[in-house]
Amino acid sequence: MIRTIAVNTGGGDAPGLNAVIRAVAISSHWRGWRVLGIRHGYRGLIEGSPDGVVELDRNAVRGITHLGGTILGSTNRGDPFNYPVERGGELVPMDVSDDVVRRVRELGIDALVAIGGDGSIRLAARLLGKGLPRVIAVPKTIDNDLPGTDVTFGFDTAVATAVDALDKVHTTAQAHERVMVVEVMGRYAGWIALHAGIAGGADVILIPEIEFDVERVCEKILRREARGRHFSIVVAAEGARPRGGQMRFKRARDEFAEAQLGGIAEQVAHDIEQRIHKETRSLVLGHLQRGGSPVMTDRLLALRLGCAATRFLAETDRSGLVAVRHNEIELVPLSDGTKHLRTVPFDSNVLQTGRDLGLCFGDEPEGTFLPTTLPPTR
Ligand code: F6P
């Protein structure tokens, strides 16, 4: 029997987090439950500040569906099993997971709705193993690469932001007859680059799944030149890498957080200019893609997932991940959300669309058609 639940948001933010929080809170209030919000992942339970846990009553979640960010705050340095604690002026890792479980019990929390990516789902599963009563995870990432679910909210908004940027970059590239290389997010998966690049009319798309050869990229640009198209747009996912080469990092991984990727657009722009002596500029869209109001599809998905999380709490006694499968929402094991990341498959219809449109992916020469996966005609 549930009386009180808690909600938190962990990892990088994604447009739609507030819509999930609102949906969980309102659908729980109707069932007579109390809803608490834990600030900044698990930090609100660990550091004992008076506003670390907040009441998510009707008022607290009013008018937030359209807002980017998260009213609860987030962090990607908040792993309770490896928590940064200050000792003698230095941050040292400590396992404070017992404190989290104890606080949850003290607060009378019967279930946690953890909204986050693969890292947050893994943490929730470990905390469940240590004694959290129940956990429902809600999958989130703009990268759209979480296993176990067909889609994640935040992706469509990030793609819309990138497409808008590509439209703008087009006009200036054309005016100056330049090549523009635009770096978008996508650490291990090229979904944002692929979707934004195709919808935004890019000429070259570089994704982590396909190692690229800059010669192929240059050939494409020169072929366009020969056809009188004196500008080109290249979209590069931050995790794209040249054949036999490495990803580009701005900051190395430390003991509390992932490495920060960045710099591939600059490198590609430099390599193009060196080879074909055509003026080339680069830009990084970065966190712009994580901000702003969620688009309609993300809002709706976020609200559906939030309400489904509450329904599964009310109607089952299980823990799990609320996942989208063939446009239905199912409760699947938490472990489904922590398997291998969902990268772009080579037979992806969207990838094939790009090839059919003559886009360059840095691997095959233009006009080389790889076998498609069209079903045989009956
Ligand atoms: O996981 C989403 C993501 O947007 C990645 O594409 C990117 O590498 C990462 O977050 C950047 O996160 P931050 O700069 O917040 O550490």
Side-chain angles (χ1 to χ4, degrees):
M1 160 94 168
I2 289 183
R3 284 195 196 84
T4 303
I5 66 161
V7 187
N8 73 351
T9 51
D13 65 334
L17 284 171
N18 283 323
V20 181
I21 295 169
R22 182 166 185 274
V24 170
I26 291 179
S27 56
S28 297
H29 296 152
W30 285 120
R31 289 171 167 87
W33 304 346
R34 182 182 182 204
V35 185
L36 301 174
I38 305 166
R39 306 263 301 140
H40 299 285
Y42 296 94
R43 195 198 298 168
L45 293 175
I46 297 166
E47 297 191 355
S49 79
D51 62 351
V53 178
V54 293
E55 194 77 40
L56 289 182
D57 56 18
R58 260 266 144 89
N59 236 350
V61 297
R62 189 159 282 156
I64 61 169
T65 301
H66 66 293
L67 297 181
T70 157
I71 58 165
L72 294 176
S74 194
T75 177
N76 48 15
R77 291 170 173 267
D79 175 354
F81 296 90
N82 188 45
Y83 199 76
V85 177
E86 218 214 282
R87 289 275 180 279
E90 269 190 35
L91 289 177
V92 294
M94 283 189 52
D95 181 351
V96 295
S97 54
D98 286 335
D99 298 349
V100 169
V101 176
R102 184 178 39 77
R103 276 297 284 151
V104 164
R105 292 214 179 106
E106 280 170 7
L107 290 163
I109 294 168
D110 302 307
L112 171 70
V113 176
I115 314 169
D118 58 328
S120 305
I121 299 169
R122 206 166 280 125
L123 282 183
R126 283 184 80 184
L127 287 168
L128 191 64
K130 287 210 84 168
L132 280 199
R134 274 179 79 186
V135 172
I136 301 284
V138 180
K140 161 247 59 162
T141 167
I142 65 161
D143 291 354
N144 202 33
D145 58 359
L146 261 187
T149 183
D150 296 346
V151 281
T152 50
F153 67 87
F155 172 66
D156 281 2
T157 307
V159 170
T161 299
V163 168
D164 181 48
L166 290 175
D167 287 348
K168 289 175 174 150
V169 157
H170 254 97
T171 54
T172 171
Q174 191 159 16
H176 287 266
E177 301 194 329
R178 284 173 175 153
V179 178
M180 299 288 296
V181 186
V182 182
E183 184 171 313
V184 298
M185 282 187 170
R187 198 168 257 274
Y188 306 111
W191 294 109
I192 296 179
L194 183 64
H195 284 233
I198 291 178
D203 306 295
V204 179
I205 300 176
L206 307 176
I207 60 175
E209 294 83 347
I210 302 176
E211 291 190 346
F212 67 87
D213 181 345
V214 78
E215 294 294 345
R216 293 274 109 84
V217 177
C218 291
E219 284 164 15
K220 172 74 184 175
I221 295 167
L222 291 176
R223 267 195 308 273
R224 281 176 54 77
E225 289 286 325
R227 289 199 291 258
R229 307 296 279 157
H230 298 295
F231 71 96
S232 289
I233 307 293
V234 179
V235 176
E238 60 186 352
R241 59 182 193 284
R243 201 167 281 164
Q246 300 293 321
M247 282 178 172
R248 300 274 297 195
F249 292 98
K250 282 179 84 178
R251 194 177 39 77
R253 186 191 164 82
D254 62 33
E255 52 196 330
F256 304 114
E258 290 256 21
Q260 191 186 345
L261 287 171
I264 190 64
E266 198 181 350
Q267 183 197 319
V268 169
H270 171 268
D271 292 350
I272 292 171
E273 218 169 49
Q274 288 275 305
R275 281 179 170 73
I276 60 173
H277 308 292
K278 181 154 179 79
E279 197 175 30
T280 304
R281 295 277 202 273
S282 65
L283 76 151
V284 180
L285 296 189
H287 292 82
L288 272 182
Q289 296 157 95
R290 293 230 303 248
S293 283
V295 296
M296 180 284 286
T297 48
D298 280 337
R299 288 184 205 190
L300 189 59
L301 178 57
L303 294 168
R304 288 173 66 205
L305 288 169
C307 289
T310 307
R311 276 201 308 278
F312 286 126
L313 282 175
E315 294 168 13
T316 75
D317 56 5
R318 284 150 53 207
S319 290
L321 173 74
V322 281
V324 181
R325 303 255 171 109
H326 309 292
N327 206 28
E328 293 298 323
I329 298 183
E330 296 176 17
L331 186 66
V332 302
L334 285 171
S335 56
D336 281 17
T338 59
K339 295 183 175 147
H340 290 298
L341 288 177
R342 210 172 52 83
T343 51
V344 177
F346 292 111
D347 61 0
S348 144
N349 174 264
V350 189
L351 187 60
Q352 292 294 347
T353 302
R355 294 206 191 271
D356 284 339
L357 289 171
L359 271 66
C360 166
F361 289 91
D363 54 347
E364 303 293 332
E366 193 176 47
T368 308
F369 295 102
L370 301 179
T372 71
T373 53
L374 287 181
T377 44
R378 284 163 202 265

